Amino acid sequence: MKEKVEEIMTRAVITVNENDTLLDVATVLKEGKIAGVPVLNDTEDIVGVISEADILKVLTNFHWYTSVFTVHDLMHIFGEDIHDIQQDVEKASKMNVKDVMSKEPEIIVQDALIDDAAQIMHTTGYNRLPVVDSDGKLVGIVARADIIASIYEH
Amino acid sequence: MQSKTNVKVKELMITDVIAVKPGDTIPHAAKTFRTNSISGAPVIDDQRKVIGVISEADIMNLTAAIPFPDIDPLNPFPVFSMSSYMKKVKKIPDEINTLFEGYVKDVMSKNTVTISPDDSISDAARLMRKHDFNRLPVVDSEGKLVGILARGDIISVFAN
């Protein structure tokens, strides 16, 4: 019966670099059919996690955004200023991962118990945790789906 | 060039929606998620009206709500994995066993946050962000499920 994180984690981890753009991340998430990835710096240290939720937050935080009008309404009201909205979206695509990611991510060691991973996800609300070895190097990633599989597929 | 934020929900939603029924078992829902590589699904009644949503988090939180007997009373943390639990006890109490074999209706979120096909994706994004939902069921004027829009579908617009 599976007990440790290393028994259920995915080892072939997809990652991005902190200097990649949001457009790079959106592409990686789409192609990998995943919702989030660990972020590494140039020396391969884990510096954050970036997910769909982080990107969505950027899209909903634009200065022209209000809770009363939809974007469609605003574009009719502003008329000729539509290009500002388009520019913001284009700008978002070029934003750097390091400005959008969640820093100081929750990580877990590979010989920790599945219980511990589940506890962290329950407390923090995070859906995935990067897994590290005793030197702190990324060796895998564990997600909610993996934990549920270990409950029902033992 | 059409602004990407002018896109309507109906242009991005998945119409081939995977949904579950309130009377389905939790293991069935978990297997459905695994097989289809999804993390949640709308729950529909016999008229295809959306009555809730069930997600991986709802399934995982099952064990957090129940006090497990026979565990060290000084350890306040719930047990999440059956394998760990079974190492600690001689026999699993019936109520724990049935916990994992319960029904979708007992675990689902009875949220009625839905969206219509003619809403814009920025409306959808705002709702997802406000409620911290990963997906929104798309319904027609009668509240019947016609599609689903997930965060990944919105993000993928910008990956094109």
Side-chain angles (χ1 to χ4, degrees), chain A residues 45-152:
Chain A
D45 304 308
I46 302 169
V47 292
V49 173
I50 188 163
S51 69
E52 290 172 344
D54 298 315
I55 298 179
L56 214 65
K57 192 159 56 168
V58 171
L59 297 181
T60 58
N61 272 349
F62 288 128
H63 70 90
W64 40 261
Y65 191 83
T66 76
S67 58
V68 175
F69 297 111
T70 66
V71 172
H72 199 252
D73 296 331
L74 287 171
M75 288 169 78
H76 277 286
I77 293 168
F78 290 154
E80 284 155 1
D81 294 330
I82 287 175
H83 74 274
D84 283 341
I85 297 172
Q86 287 176 325
Q87 276 188 332
D88 279 345
V89 168
E90 296 304 324
K91 199 162 47 168
S93 299
K94 297 187 181 94
M95 282 174 78
N96 279 121
V97 166
K98 64 172 169 256
D99 298 323
V100 173
M101 67 187 186
S102 301
K103 296 185 169 69
E104 294 168 1
E106 291 287 339
I107 58 172
I108 195 159
V109 288
Q110 61 184 343
D111 56 3
L113 299 178
I114 297 172
D115 265 2
D116 298 331
Q119 181 68 50
I120 295 171
M121 288 181 195
H122 177 67
T123 322
T124 62
Y126 291 139
N127 294 321
R128 67 196 58 73
L129 304 173
V131 185
V132 297
D133 62 16
S134 47
D135 296 320
K137 284 295 176 192
L138 184 67
V139 291
I141 191 154
V142 65
R144 285 189 196 262
D146 304 317
I147 295 181
I148 291 172
S150 76
I151 297 174
Y152 290 105

Side-chain angles (χ1 to χ4, degrees), chain B residues 80-134:
Chain B
F80 285 91
S81 70
M82 285 299 280
S83 58
S84 288
Y85 182 60
M86 284 163 78
K87 285 196 170 202
K88 293 175 171 127
V89 299
K90 292 189 178 60
K91 179 185 177 300
I92 302 176
D94 288 337
E95 64 262 21
I96 303 298
N97 239 339
T98 55
L99 178 67
F100 290 102
E101 292 159 18
Y103 299 103
V104 164
K105 66 179 186 313
D106 300 320
V107 166
M108 69 185 190
S109 304
K110 295 182 178 69
N111 89 85
T112 48
V113 179
T114 59
I115 201 156
S116 97
D118 288 319
D119 287 328
S120 72
I121 59 165
S122 58
D123 292 331
R126 185 196 344 141
L127 279 174
M128 285 183 197
R129 170 126 173 78
K130 180 180 173 188
H131 299 280
D132 198 23
F133 290 151
N134 290 325

Side-chain angles (χ1 to χ4, degrees), chain B residues 35-75:
Chain B
T35 315
N36 295 286
S37 299
I38 55 178
S39 61
V43 184
I44 54 175
D45 64 15
D46 294 328
Q47 282 82 48
R48 222 177 153 70
K49 290 198 177 155
V50 174
I51 58 172
V53 173
I54 182 169
S55 70
E56 286 177 339
D58 296 322
I59 297 177
M60 274 180 64
N61 288 343
L62 265 184
T63 54
I66 304 293
F68 278 65
D70 303 336
I71 299 293
D72 177 3
L74 295 177
N75 178 1

